Amino acid sequence: MSGSNVWSRSRERLRRFPELLAQCADEAAVYGKCVAATTTGKQELKKDVCAKEFEALKTCFTNAAKKKTR
Amino acid sequence: MSCRGVQKLLQGAGSGPAGWTRTPCCCRLRYGPCRARSGPGSGSGPGSGSGSMNVFNREMKRRQKNWAAVLQDGHQYDYLREEVGSRVADRVYDVARSFPLVLDLGGGKSYIAEHLSKEVVQRLVLTDVSQQALKLGRRSDIPTRSVVADEEFLPFRENSFHLVVSSLSLHWINDLPRVLSEIHRVLKPDGVFIGAMAGGDTLYELRCSLQLAQSEREGGFSPHVSPYTAVTDLGNLLGRARFNMLTVDVDDVQVHYPGIMELMTDLQGMGESNCAWNRRSMLHRDTMLAAAAVYKEMYGNPDGSVPATFQILYMIGWKPHESQAKPARRGSATVSFRDLAKVSRPDGADQS
Protein backbone atom coordinates (compact mmCIF):
# COMPACT_ATOMS: atom_id res chain seq x y z
CA MET A 1 0.00 0.00 0.00
CA SER A 2 1.84 3.06 -1.19
CA GLY A 3 0.81 6.49 -2.31
CA SER A 4 -2.00 8.52 -0.84
CA ASN A 5 -4.83 6.52 0.70
CA VAL A 6 -7.31 7.07 3.50
CA TRP A 7 -4.91 5.72 6.15
CA SER A 8 -1.99 7.92 5.15
CA ARG A 9 -4.27 10.94 4.88
CA SER A 10 -5.82 10.41 8.28
CA ARG A 11 -2.37 9.83 9.76
CA GLU A 12 -1.28 13.15 8.31
CA ARG A 13 -4.26 14.87 9.88
CA LEU A 14 -3.55 13.21 13.19
CA ARG A 15 0.02 14.44 13.13
CA ARG A 16 -1.29 18.00 13.50
CA PHE A 17 -3.03 17.08 16.72
CA PRO A 18 -0.36 18.24 19.20
CA GLU A 19 0.13 21.65 17.67
CA LEU A 20 -3.61 22.28 17.50
CA LEU A 21 -4.03 21.18 21.09
CA ALA A 22 -1.26 23.54 22.13
CA GLN A 23 -3.38 26.45 20.98
CA CYS A 24 -6.21 25.41 23.24
CA ALA A 25 -4.19 24.87 26.36
CA ASP A 26 -6.53 26.90 28.58
CA GLU A 27 -9.70 25.10 27.61
CA ALA A 28 -7.86 21.80 27.94
CA ALA A 29 -6.73 22.70 31.43
CA VAL A 30 -10.26 23.63 32.47
CA TYR A 31 -11.64 20.36 31.14
CA GLY A 32 -8.86 18.39 32.76
CA LYS A 33 -9.52 20.01 36.12
CA CYS A 34 -13.21 19.21 35.83
CA VAL A 35 -12.54 15.52 35.22
CA ALA A 36 -9.86 15.36 37.90
CA ALA A 37 -12.26 16.91 40.37
CA THR A 38 -14.69 14.03 39.93
CA THR A 39 -12.06 11.58 41.09
CA THR A 40 -11.60 13.22 44.46
CA GLY A 41 -14.87 15.00 45.09
CA LYS A 42 -18.27 13.65 45.94
CA GLN A 43 -19.43 13.72 42.34
CA GLU A 44 -19.11 10.45 40.48
CA LEU A 45 -17.81 10.24 36.95
CA LYS A 46 -20.72 9.70 34.61
CA LYS A 47 -21.25 10.44 30.99
CA ASP A 48 -21.18 14.14 30.09
CA VAL A 49 -20.43 15.32 33.58
CA CYS A 50 -18.03 17.85 32.06
CA ALA A 51 -19.87 18.30 28.77
CA LYS A 52 -19.81 22.08 28.84
CA GLU A 53 -16.06 22.27 29.29
CA PHE A 54 -15.54 19.68 26.61
CA GLU A 55 -17.71 21.59 24.14
CA ALA A 56 -15.58 24.66 24.69
CA LEU A 57 -12.43 22.62 24.14
CA LYS A 58 -13.77 20.99 21.01
CA THR A 59 -14.90 24.31 19.51
CA CYS A 60 -11.50 25.83 20.14
CA PHE A 61 -9.83 22.77 18.62
CA THR A 62 -11.95 22.73 15.46
CA ASN A 63 -11.47 26.47 15.00
CA ALA A 64 -7.72 26.04 15.26
CA ALA A 65 -7.89 23.23 12.71
CA LYS A 66 -9.95 25.35 10.30
CA LYS A 67 -7.56 28.26 10.57
CA LYS A 68 -4.52 26.21 9.68
CA THR A 69 -6.04 24.45 6.68
CA ARG A 70 -4.77 25.72 3.34
CA MET B 1 3.89 -21.45 8.74
CA SER B 2 7.61 -21.49 8.11
CA CYS B 3 9.68 -24.56 8.91
CA ARG B 4 10.82 -23.66 12.36
CA GLY B 5 11.32 -27.19 13.48
CA VAL B 6 9.12 -27.04 16.52
CA GLN B 7 10.14 -29.85 18.76
CA LYS B 8 7.71 -32.26 20.38
CA LEU B 9 6.76 -30.55 23.59
CA LEU B 10 6.70 -32.10 26.99
CA GLN B 11 3.38 -31.86 28.78
CA GLY B 12 3.31 -28.71 30.87
CA ALA B 13 4.10 -29.43 34.48
CA GLY B 14 1.85 -26.78 35.91
CA SER B 15 -1.47 -28.47 35.50
CA GLY B 16 -2.85 -27.35 38.84
CA PRO B 17 -5.31 -24.48 39.10
CA ALA B 18 -3.65 -21.28 38.00
CA GLY B 19 -3.19 -19.10 41.07
CA TRP B 20 -1.97 -16.28 38.93
CA THR B 21 -4.07 -13.75 37.10
CA ARG B 22 -3.05 -10.78 35.14
CA THR B 23 -4.99 -7.77 36.30
CA PRO B 24 -5.48 -4.76 34.08
CA CYS B 25 -6.07 -3.03 37.42
CA CYS B 26 -8.58 -0.19 37.15
CA CYS B 27 -7.14 3.03 38.41
CA ARG B 28 -7.69 3.32 42.11
CA LEU B 29 -9.78 6.46 41.99
CA ARG B 30 -13.24 6.80 43.31
CA TYR B 31 -15.57 7.26 40.44
CA GLY B 32 -18.44 4.92 40.99
CA PRO B 33 -19.71 1.94 39.06
CA CYS B 34 -18.16 1.73 35.66
CA ARG B 35 -20.11 0.05 32.94
CA ALA B 36 -17.22 -1.46 31.06
CA ARG B 37 -18.20 -2.23 27.53
CA SER B 38 -15.88 -5.04 26.68
CA GLY B 39 -14.77 -5.15 30.27
CA PRO B 40 -11.35 -6.05 31.58
CA GLY B 41 -12.69 -9.39 32.81
CA SER B 42 -11.78 -11.28 29.69
CA GLY B 43 -8.12 -10.62 30.23
CA SER B 44 -7.95 -11.79 33.78
CA GLY B 45 -9.89 -15.04 33.87
CA PRO B 46 -7.74 -17.79 35.35
CA GLY B 47 -6.92 -20.55 32.90
CA SER B 48 -8.06 -23.94 34.00
CA GLY B 49 -4.96 -25.57 32.58
CA SER B 50 -1.74 -24.69 30.88
CA GLY B 51 -3.17 -24.18 27.45
CA SER B 52 -6.35 -22.20 27.74
CA MET B 53 -4.99 -18.73 28.48
CA ASN B 54 -5.32 -16.67 25.36
CA VAL B 55 -5.07 -12.98 26.05
CA PHE B 56 -2.89 -11.77 23.24
CA ASN B 57 -3.10 -12.21 19.52
CA ARG B 58 0.41 -13.47 18.82
CA GLU B 59 -0.03 -13.25 15.07
CA MET B 60 -0.88 -9.56 15.42
CA LYS B 61 2.14 -9.04 17.66
CA ARG B 62 4.37 -10.61 15.02
CA ARG B 63 2.95 -8.28 12.38
CA GLN B 64 3.40 -5.25 14.64
CA LYS B 65 7.00 -6.16 15.37
CA ASN B 66 7.72 -6.75 11.69
CA TRP B 67 6.21 -3.38 10.85
CA ALA B 68 8.19 -1.61 13.55
CA ALA B 69 11.42 -3.31 12.53
CA VAL B 70 11.34 -2.01 8.94
CA LEU B 71 10.51 1.58 9.82
CA GLN B 72 12.86 4.04 8.15
CA ASP B 73 13.80 5.86 11.32
CA GLY B 74 13.01 3.07 13.72
CA HIS B 75 16.18 3.59 15.72
CA GLN B 76 14.71 6.65 17.43
CA TYR B 77 12.27 4.41 19.28
CA ASP B 78 14.95 2.15 20.68
CA TYR B 79 15.77 4.13 23.80
CA LEU B 80 13.74 2.06 26.23
CA ARG B 81 14.96 -1.29 24.95
CA GLU B 82 18.55 -0.09 24.95
CA GLU B 83 18.27 1.06 28.53
CA VAL B 84 16.71 -2.16 29.74
CA GLY B 85 19.12 -4.22 27.63
CA SER B 86 22.10 -2.54 29.25
CA ARG B 87 20.68 -3.16 32.72
CA VAL B 88 20.15 -6.84 31.96
CA ALA B 89 23.73 -7.03 30.68
CA ASP B 90 24.84 -5.50 34.01
CA ARG B 91 23.15 -8.33 35.81
CA VAL B 92 24.85 -10.85 33.56
CA TYR B 93 28.20 -9.36 34.56
CA ASP B 94 27.21 -9.65 38.20
CA VAL B 95 27.26 -13.42 37.81
CA ALA B 96 30.96 -14.20 38.02
CA ARG B 97 30.98 -16.78 35.29
CA SER B 98 31.44 -17.23 31.59
CA PHE B 99 28.67 -18.79 29.55
CA PRO B 100 29.50 -20.90 26.51
CA LEU B 101 25.97 -20.95 25.09
CA VAL B 102 23.38 -18.24 25.71
CA LEU B 103 19.78 -17.86 24.55
CA ASP B 104 18.23 -14.42 24.07
CA LEU B 105 14.47 -14.80 24.13
CA GLY B 106 12.42 -12.26 22.22
CA GLY B 107 15.59 -10.35 21.59
CA GLY B 108 14.41 -8.54 18.48
CA LYS B 109 17.24 -6.42 17.21
CA SER B 110 19.44 -7.66 20.04
CA TYR B 111 19.93 -5.00 22.68
CA ILE B 112 21.80 -7.09 25.23
CA ALA B 113 24.63 -8.65 23.26
CA GLU B 114 26.25 -5.35 22.37
CA HIS B 115 27.06 -4.79 26.05
CA LEU B 116 28.52 -8.24 26.56
CA SER B 117 32.02 -9.37 25.69
CA LYS B 118 33.27 -12.59 24.21
CA GLU B 119 34.85 -13.65 27.48
CA VAL B 120 31.49 -13.74 29.20
CA VAL B 121 29.37 -15.07 26.38
CA GLN B 122 30.90 -17.36 23.81
CA ARG B 123 27.96 -18.14 21.56
CA LEU B 124 24.55 -16.53 21.37
CA VAL B 125 21.28 -17.80 19.97
CA LEU B 126 18.85 -15.00 19.30
CA THR B 127 15.13 -15.73 18.93
CA ASP B 128 12.15 -13.57 18.16
CA VAL B 129 8.74 -13.95 16.54
CA SER B 130 9.57 -11.26 14.04
CA GLN B 131 11.79 -12.23 11.15
CA GLN B 132 12.41 -8.64 10.06
CA ALA B 133 13.72 -7.68 13.47
CA LEU B 134 16.23 -10.52 13.38
CA LYS B 135 17.33 -9.65 9.85
CA LEU B 136 17.87 -5.98 10.65
CA GLY B 137 19.39 -6.60 14.03
CA ARG B 138 22.47 -4.95 15.37
CA ARG B 139 25.78 -6.67 15.09
CA SER B 140 27.98 -7.50 18.01
CA ASP B 141 31.28 -9.36 18.13
CA ILE B 142 29.70 -12.42 19.71
CA PRO B 143 28.99 -15.15 17.14
CA THR B 144 25.21 -15.16 16.89
CA ARG B 145 22.68 -17.47 15.34
CA SER B 146 19.15 -16.14 14.79
CA VAL B 147 16.12 -18.38 15.05
CA VAL B 148 12.56 -17.30 14.35
CA ALA B 149 10.63 -18.86 17.21
CA ASP B 150 7.66 -18.05 19.37
CA GLU B 151 8.62 -17.87 23.05
CA GLU B 152 5.87 -20.31 23.92
CA PHE B 153 7.26 -23.03 21.65
CA LEU B 154 11.00 -23.19 22.02
CA PRO B 155 12.51 -25.56 19.45
CA PHE B 156 15.49 -26.47 21.62
CA ARG B 157 16.52 -29.60 23.43
CA GLU B 158 16.45 -29.70 27.21
CA ASN B 159 19.58 -28.96 29.19
CA SER B 160 21.27 -27.07 26.39
CA PHE B 161 21.85 -23.48 27.53
CA HIS B 162 24.00 -22.05 30.29
CA LEU B 163 22.18 -18.74 30.37
CA VAL B 164 18.83 -17.51 29.14
CA VAL B 165 18.18 -13.78 28.96
CA SER B 166 15.02 -12.02 28.00
CA SER B 167 14.41 -8.31 27.76
CA LEU B 168 11.00 -6.72 27.42
CA SER B 169 9.21 -9.46 25.56
CA LEU B 170 7.63 -11.59 28.28
CA HIS B 171 4.77 -9.18 28.84
CA TRP B 172 3.19 -10.26 25.57
CA ILE B 173 3.15 -13.95 26.49
CA ASN B 174 -0.18 -15.72 26.77
CA ASP B 175 0.85 -18.54 29.06
CA LEU B 176 3.64 -17.22 31.25
CA PRO B 177 3.86 -20.25 33.57
CA ARG B 178 4.43 -22.45 30.56
CA VAL B 179 7.12 -20.20 29.10
CA LEU B 180 8.94 -20.19 32.43
CA SER B 181 8.77 -23.99 32.50
CA GLU B 182 10.13 -24.09 28.98
CA ILE B 183 13.00 -21.84 29.98
CA HIS B 184 13.63 -24.11 32.92
CA ARG B 185 13.67 -27.06 30.56
CA VAL B 186 16.22 -25.72 28.10
CA LEU B 187 18.57 -24.58 30.83
CA LYS B 188 21.42 -26.79 31.94
CA PRO B 189 21.46 -27.68 35.65
CA ASP B 190 23.07 -24.75 37.49
CA GLY B 191 22.07 -22.54 34.58
CA VAL B 192 20.59 -19.12 35.21
CA PHE B 193 17.69 -17.18 33.76
CA ILE B 194 17.89 -13.38 33.81
CA GLY B 195 14.81 -11.62 32.54
CA ALA B 196 13.23 -8.20 32.37
CA MET B 197 9.60 -7.57 31.66
CA ALA B 198 7.19 -4.68 31.92
CA GLY B 199 5.04 -5.10 35.00
CA GLY B 200 2.30 -3.83 37.24
CA ASP B 201 2.29 -0.08 37.06
CA THR B 202 3.61 0.39 33.55
CA LEU B 203 1.85 3.18 31.68
CA TYR B 204 -0.65 3.70 34.49
CA GLU B 205 -0.94 7.37 33.57
CA LEU B 206 -1.98 6.49 30.04
CA ARG B 207 -4.38 3.84 31.23
CA CYS B 208 -6.07 6.10 33.75
CA SER B 209 -6.33 9.08 31.41
CA LEU B 210 -7.95 6.98 28.72
CA GLN B 211 -10.25 5.38 31.25
CA LEU B 212 -11.45 8.66 32.73
CA ALA B 213 -11.80 10.37 29.39
CA GLN B 214 -13.69 7.48 27.89
CA SER B 215 -16.00 7.23 30.91
CA GLU B 216 -16.81 10.90 30.69
CA ARG B 217 -17.23 11.02 26.95
CA GLU B 218 -18.77 7.65 26.17
CA GLY B 219 -20.22 6.45 29.45
CA GLY B 220 -18.11 3.32 29.79
CA PHE B 221 -14.60 2.25 29.03
CA SER B 222 -12.73 -0.59 27.45
CA PRO B 223 -9.14 -1.61 28.05
CA HIS B 224 -6.63 0.08 25.76
CA VAL B 225 -3.46 -0.78 27.64
CA SER B 226 -2.58 -4.44 27.86
CA PRO B 227 -2.62 -6.18 31.25
CA TYR B 228 0.63 -6.72 33.14
CA THR B 229 1.92 -9.12 35.75
CA ALA B 230 2.21 -7.80 39.28
CA VAL B 231 5.50 -7.96 41.16
CA THR B 232 4.03 -10.14 43.87
CA ASP B 233 3.02 -12.80 41.37
CA LEU B 234 6.42 -13.04 39.78
CA GLY B 235 8.07 -14.79 42.68
CA ASN B 236 5.32 -17.38 42.78
CA LEU B 237 5.55 -17.96 39.06
CA LEU B 238 9.28 -18.52 39.17
CA GLY B 239 8.92 -20.82 42.16
CA ARG B 240 6.28 -22.86 40.41
CA ALA B 241 8.58 -23.25 37.44
CA ARG B 242 11.03 -24.79 39.91
CA PHE B 243 13.66 -22.07 39.80
CA ASN B 244 15.96 -21.69 42.78
CA MET B 245 17.53 -18.73 44.51
CA LEU B 246 15.14 -16.17 43.09
CA THR B 247 15.82 -12.48 42.87
CA VAL B 248 13.12 -10.09 41.80
CA ASP B 249 13.57 -6.35 41.76
CA VAL B 250 11.73 -3.43 40.30
CA ASP B 251 12.96 -0.45 38.38
CA ASP B 252 10.85 2.51 37.40
CA VAL B 253 11.86 4.21 34.20
CA GLN B 254 10.05 7.46 33.67
CA VAL B 255 10.13 9.04 30.24
CA HIS B 256 8.81 12.51 29.54
CA TYR B 257 6.85 13.25 26.40
CA PRO B 258 5.36 16.44 24.98
CA GLY B 259 1.90 14.88 25.08
CA ILE B 260 -0.20 11.77 24.82
CA MET B 261 0.04 11.56 21.03
CA GLU B 262 3.81 11.45 21.03
CA LEU B 263 3.71 8.77 23.68
CA MET B 264 1.34 6.62 21.65
CA THR B 265 3.37 7.15 18.46
CA ASP B 266 6.53 6.05 20.25
CA LEU B 267 4.83 2.98 21.67
CA GLN B 268 3.70 2.08 18.18
CA GLY B 269 7.18 2.62 16.80
CA MET B 270 8.65 0.36 19.46
CA GLY B 271 6.37 -2.44 18.34
CA GLU B 272 4.53 -2.25 21.64
CA SER B 273 1.05 -1.59 20.28
CA ASN B 274 -1.68 -3.44 22.07
CA CYS B 275 -2.53 -6.83 20.65
CA ALA B 276 -4.88 -8.18 23.28
CA TRP B 277 -7.97 -9.84 21.85
CA ASN B 278 -10.24 -7.64 23.94
CA ARG B 279 -8.97 -4.33 22.60
CA ARG B 280 -11.26 -2.08 20.65
CA SER B 281 -9.85 -1.15 17.30
CA MET B 282 -11.19 2.37 17.42
CA LEU B 283 -10.47 5.34 19.63
CA HIS B 284 -13.03 8.05 19.11
CA ARG B 285 -11.52 11.43 18.32
CA ASP B 286 -13.46 13.11 21.09
CA THR B 287 -12.04 10.60 23.54
CA MET B 288 -8.55 11.24 22.20
CA LEU B 289 -8.95 14.95 22.72
CA ALA B 290 -10.39 14.44 26.18
CA ALA B 291 -7.65 12.00 27.15
CA ALA B 292 -4.96 14.41 26.01
CA ALA B 293 -6.44 17.14 28.18
CA VAL B 294 -6.88 14.87 31.20
CA TYR B 295 -3.37 13.45 30.92
CA LYS B 296 -1.78 16.87 30.86
CA GLU B 297 -3.87 18.15 33.71
CA MET B 298 -3.56 15.18 36.04
CA TYR B 299 0.01 14.13 35.44
CA GLY B 300 1.66 17.00 33.60
CA ASN B 301 4.98 18.46 34.69
CA PRO B 302 5.49 22.17 35.30
CA ASP B 303 7.35 22.52 32.02
CA GLY B 304 4.41 21.20 30.01
CA SER B 305 5.63 17.68 29.35
CA VAL B 306 3.90 14.56 30.58
CA PRO B 307 5.58 11.57 32.22
CA ALA B 308 5.06 7.95 31.32
CA THR B 309 6.16 5.30 33.77
CA PHE B 310 7.58 1.98 32.69
CA GLN B 311 7.84 -0.33 35.65
CA ILE B 312 10.42 -2.94 34.69
CA LEU B 313 10.61 -6.13 36.73
CA TYR B 314 13.96 -7.89 36.72
CA MET B 315 14.11 -11.52 37.71
CA ILE B 316 16.94 -13.95 38.22
CA GLY B 317 16.35 -17.65 38.76
CA TRP B 318 18.68 -20.65 38.86
CA LYS B 319 18.04 -24.20 37.73
CA PRO B 320 18.62 -26.48 40.72
CA HIS B 321 21.97 -28.22 41.09
CA GLU B 322 23.71 -29.98 43.96
CA SER B 323 26.39 -27.34 44.21
CA GLN B 324 23.87 -24.67 45.17
CA ALA B 325 23.45 -23.70 48.80
CA LYS B 326 20.57 -25.41 50.52
CA PRO B 327 18.73 -24.33 53.66
CA ALA B 328 20.53 -25.61 56.75
CA ARG B 329 19.22 -28.69 58.54
CA ARG B 330 16.95 -28.10 61.53
CA GLY B 331 18.85 -28.26 64.78
CA SER B 332 22.22 -27.54 63.24
CA ALA B 333 22.53 -24.04 64.71
CA THR B 334 25.71 -23.30 66.66
CA VAL B 335 24.83 -19.88 68.06
CA SER B 336 21.65 -18.65 69.66
CA PHE B 337 19.63 -15.55 68.93
CA ARG B 338 20.14 -14.57 72.56
CA ASP B 339 23.74 -13.85 71.72
CA LEU B 340 22.63 -11.22 69.23
CA ALA B 341 22.71 -8.51 71.88
CA LYS B 342 26.37 -9.24 72.55
CA VAL B 343 27.16 -8.59 68.93
CA SER B 344 26.02 -4.98 69.08
CA ARG B 345 27.96 -4.16 72.27
CA PRO B 346 31.58 -4.94 71.42
CA ASP B 347 32.96 -3.73 74.81
CA GLY B 348 31.05 -6.43 76.58
CA ALA B 349 29.44 -3.83 78.80
CA ASP B 350 26.17 -5.62 79.35
CA GLN B 351 25.87 -9.40 79.45
CA SER B 352 22.23 -10.26 78.92
Side-chain angles (χ1 to χ4, degrees):
Chain A
M1 231 190 300
S2 50
S4 169
N5 50 48
V6 61
W7 287 278
S8 59
R9 281 195 293 271
S10 51
R11 279 222 178 107
E12 261 320 301
R13 272 204 299 267
L14 206 55
R15 255 186 269 277
R16 297 172 51 204
F17 187 103
E19 61 186 74
L20 296 175
L21 185 60
Q23 300 174 28
C24 300
D26 300 325
E27 285 88 348
V30 168
Y31 176 75
K33 281 195 179 53
C34 171
V35 173
T38 64
T39 64
T40 48
K42 285 205 205 63
Q43 200 181 22
E44 293 178 353
L45 187 66
K46 286 199 281 270
K47 187 171 182 340
D48 287 335
V49 144
C50 298
K52 213 165 15 96
E53 288 84 355
F54 185 75
E55 279 316 309
L57 172 60
K58 190 160 175 192
T59 334
C60 167
F61 192 83
T62 41
N63 287 342
K66 280 194 205 135
K67 258 191 297 191
K68 292 269 293 184
T69 324
R70 55 251 181 283
Chain B
M1 294 277 169
S2 55
C3 43
R4 256 174 270 127
V6 173
Q7 199 197 13
K8 193 97 185 253
L9 294 170
L10 309 169
Q11 232 352 292
S15 48
W20 156 73
T21 57
R22 217 175 339 219
T23 43
C25 42
C26 291
C27 44
R28 303 168 217 94
L29 301 167
R30 208 179 63 82
Y31 62 94
C34 52
R35 255 186 331 238
R37 274 209 216 136
S38 58
S42 48
S44 55
S48 56
S50 317
S52 57
M53 277 188 264
N54 197 358
V55 180
F56 300 114
N57 182 351
R58 294 292 292 171
E59 179 54 39
M60 191 71 217
K61 180 46 60 184
R62 177 204 310 264
R63 297 221 295 267
Q64 287 166 353
K65 285 197 166 172
N66 275 333
W67 177 85
V70 297
L71 279 179
Q72 287 297 352
D73 46 0
H75 54 88
Q76 64 177 314
Y77 303 116
D78 282 343
Y79 47 89
L80 185 66
R81 288 191 198 272
E82 280 170 0
E83 178 61 31
V84 177
S86 74
R87 294 190 193 187
V88 173
D90 268 348
R91 283 165 170 79
V92 173
Y93 275 120
D94 282 345
V95 180
R97 266 198 210 180
S98 102
F99 303 98
L101 190 57
V102 175
L103 173 65
D104 189 347
L105 213 51
K109 291 194 191 162
S110 175
Y111 298 93
I112 307 180
E114 55 201 24
H115 302 280
L116 297 174
S117 66
K118 272 176 84 169
E119 290 82 46
V120 181
V121 171
Q122 264 106 66
R123 269 163 57 217
L124 176 68
V125 177
L126 183 63
T127 67
D128 197 76
V129 279
S130 150
Q131 193 167 12
Q132 297 296 337
L134 291 175
K135 265 202 249 175
L136 302 168
R138 299 142 170 242
R139 305 278 160 253
S140 66
D141 34 297
I142 303 174
T144 307
R145 161 154 289 182
S146 305
V147 178
V148 177
D150 193 326
E151 289 92 332
E152 305 193 30
F153 307 100
L154 292 180
F156 303 113
R157 246 182 320 173
E158 54 257 34
N159 300 332
S160 35
F161 292 101
H162 299 87
L163 167 68
V164 175
V165 288
S166 172
S167 169
L168 289 187
S169 80
L170 294 176
H171 53 280
W172 294 115
I173 301 289
N174 275 318
D175 194 346
L176 195 52
R178 168 148 125 177
V179 169
L180 292 176
S181 311
E182 283 285 287
I183 295 176
H184 180 93
R185 176 181 70 90
V186 300
L187 270 178
K188 281 188 144 74
D190 212 23
V192 59
F193 164 54
I194 301 182
M197 66 187 280
D201 280 344
T202 305
L203 295 175
Y204 73 91
E205 300 102 339
L206 181 65
R207 187 172 43 229
C208 285
S209 314
L210 282 171
Q211 213 163 307
L212 291 174
Q214 205 165 15
S215 300
E216 200 274 325
R217 282 288 92 215
E218 300 179 32
F221 70 94
S222 62
H224 291 279
V225 180
S226 67
Y228 298 110
T229 311
V231 191
T232 43
D233 290 335
L234 207 51
N236 295 337
L237 283 172
L238 288 169
R240 256 182 48 193
R242 292 189 306 249
F243 282 104
N244 245 1
M245 300 200 298
L246 309 171
T247 310
V248 176
D249 62 297
V250 183
D251 232 345
D252 272 353
V253 178
Q254 214 179 52
V255 187
H256 295 266
Y257 294 91
I260 199 177
M261 299 304 293
E262 286 84 353
L263 165 61
M264 294 203 279
T265 319
D266 270 20
L267 288 174
Q268 194 180 35
M270 281 187 227
E272 296 291 305
S273 316
N274 195 3
C275 67
W277 289 108
N278 64 1
R279 75 192 188 282
R280 278 180 82 214
S281 47
M282 193 193 82
L283 189 58
H284 202 279
R285 68 179 103 165
D286 281 358
T287 308
M288 251 192 266
L289 183 56
V294 172
Y295 201 144
K296 187 158 242 146
E297 178 53 37
M298 283 185 65
Y299 302 105
N301 297 322
D303 66 352
S305 62
V306 293
T309 308
F310 297 92
Q311 190 182 58
I312 316 285
L313 314 178
Y314 297 93
M315 60 200 118
I316 304 181
W318 294 77
K319 184 152 175 176
H321 189 253
E322 304 83 47
S323 66
Q324 291 166 0
K326 294 220 179 3
R329 207 172 39 83
R330 278 179 87 91
S332 61
T334 50
V335 288
S336 158
F337 268 117
R338 262 172 300 178
D339 303 334
L340 199 60
K342 294 185 200 146
V343 173
S344 57
R345 293 189 181 103
D347 296 300
D350 208 341
Q351 305 283 351
S352 50

